[in-house]
């Protein structure tokens, strides 16, 4: 699995305010979107494109457009929704599918409680969005779900990742048979005993949308 840490000063700057516990929800939402746009730029370096002809006011030339089938963006509900706008801003013609994963706070195991995705993902490049890669359980289950439907190129995008989650992804997806990559804003120190990323930024869903 290819892991890319997008270490850019603007990313580190936005992450600083996301981590700060004094940052309120409206500011957190805006920053998460902005950070996602910067990560999207990195994550789409290998997006599939094809040439087509245009004319400038001066001369004909060859440009590029996104290939068909268009990429699919899959935010993992609920926290991944906070990253969606930041991604579609750069890929407005992509399609969007939804996957609801919830983890049991005691066992830390993830279950799929909702999905709205095309049945057949063959030939699709898929971008899976979740702000936090902690144990990796939710992301691994989400990616397995997409692989079963035929996705043939998967990029996971997270604001933060724990080394434990990356290791779990590498082990669980070693036999995926298709390219899987992770793009993240930072690899933090570790997980604590209740599965939170340290230093992290807390519960991303709660900070985006409140405790419900
Ligand atoms: N999560 C957080 N903050 C953390 C750790 C986990 O918000 O510090 C939430 C995220 O919402 C993410 C899920 O969707 O838990 C990932 O957990 P896991 O399945 O990787 O353990």
């Amino acid at each position: 699995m290819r892991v890319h840490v997008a270490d850019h000063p603007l990313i580190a700057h936005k992450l600083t305010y996301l981590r700060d516990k004094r940052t309120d929800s409206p500011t957190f939402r805006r920053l998460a979107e902005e950070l996602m746009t910067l990560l999207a730029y990195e994550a789409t370096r290998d997006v599939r494109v094809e040439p087509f002809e245009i004319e400038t006011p001066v001369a004909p030339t060859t440009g590029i457009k996104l290939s068909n089938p268009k990429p699919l963006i899959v935010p993992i509900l609920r926290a991944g929704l906070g990253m969606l706008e930041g991604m579609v801003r750069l890929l407005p013609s992509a399609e969007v599918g939804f996957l609801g994963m919830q983890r049991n706070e005691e066992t830390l195991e993830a279950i799929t409680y909702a999905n709205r995705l095309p049945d057949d993902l063959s030939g699709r490049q898929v971008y899976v969005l979740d702000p936090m890669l902690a144990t990796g359980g939710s992301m691994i289950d989400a990616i397995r779900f997409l692989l079963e439907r035929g996705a043939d190129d998967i990029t996971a995008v997270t604001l933060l990742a724990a080394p434990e989650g990356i290791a779990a992804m590498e082990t669980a997806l070693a036999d995926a048979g298709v390219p899987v990559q992770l793009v993240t804003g930072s690899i933090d120190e570790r997980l604590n005993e209740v599965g939170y990323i340290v230093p992290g930024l807390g519960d991303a869903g709660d900070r985006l949308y409140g405790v419900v």
Side-chain angles (χ1 to χ4, degrees), residues 170-181:
E170 273 170 342
T171 308
L173 301 168
D175 60 356
V178 303
V180 176
Q181 62 158 345

Side-chain angles (χ1 to χ4, degrees), residues 76-80 101-103 105 108-110 129-141 160 162 165 188 190-192 194-208:
I76 301 180
L77 306 178
R78 127 184 109 123
M101 314 282 303
Q102 194 160 31
R103 70 174 185 173
E105 289 296 338
L108 299 186
E109 264 170 57
L129 316 182
D130 190 325
M132 314 293 274
L133 182 75
T135 64
S138 332
M139 186 59 86
I140 291 166
D141 280 14
L160 296 183
D188 275 14
R190 62 183 171 87
L191 286 186
N192 70 10
V194 284
Y196 276 83
I197 297 178
V198 181
L201 51 73
D203 185 304
D206 288 355
R207 295 204 59 195
L208 282 162

Side-chain angles (χ1 to χ4, degrees), residues 64-135:
I64 56 167
K65 60 181 179 185
L66 292 184
S67 297
N68 282 316
K70 298 284 187 255
L72 181 72
I73 302 172
V74 180
I76 301 180
L77 306 178
R78 127 184 109 123
L81 274 187
M83 298 163 78
L84 180 60
E85 271 310 306
M87 180 95 191
V88 294
R89 195 174 292 149
L90 287 196
L91 279 183
S93 58
E95 287 183 349
V96 180
F98 296 92
L99 204 48
M101 314 282 303
Q102 194 160 31
R103 70 174 185 173
N104 178 319
E105 289 296 338
E106 266 136 48
T107 64
L108 299 186
E109 264 170 57
I111 53 154
T112 308
Y113 69 86
N115 93 73
R116 185 72 194 257
L117 291 169
D119 284 335
D120 182 10
L121 296 178
S122 352
R124 299 293 287 259
Q125 270 186 310
V126 184
Y127 296 89
V128 191
L129 316 182
D130 190 325
M132 314 293 274
L133 182 75
T135 64

Side-chain angles (χ1 to χ4, degrees), residues 22-36:
R22 295 170 301 181
T23 300
D24 61 16
S25 272
T27 312
F28 192 96
R29 282 199 290 268
R30 180 175 55 77
L31 285 168
E33 269 185 37
E34 288 176 5
L35 181 53
M36 180 60 226

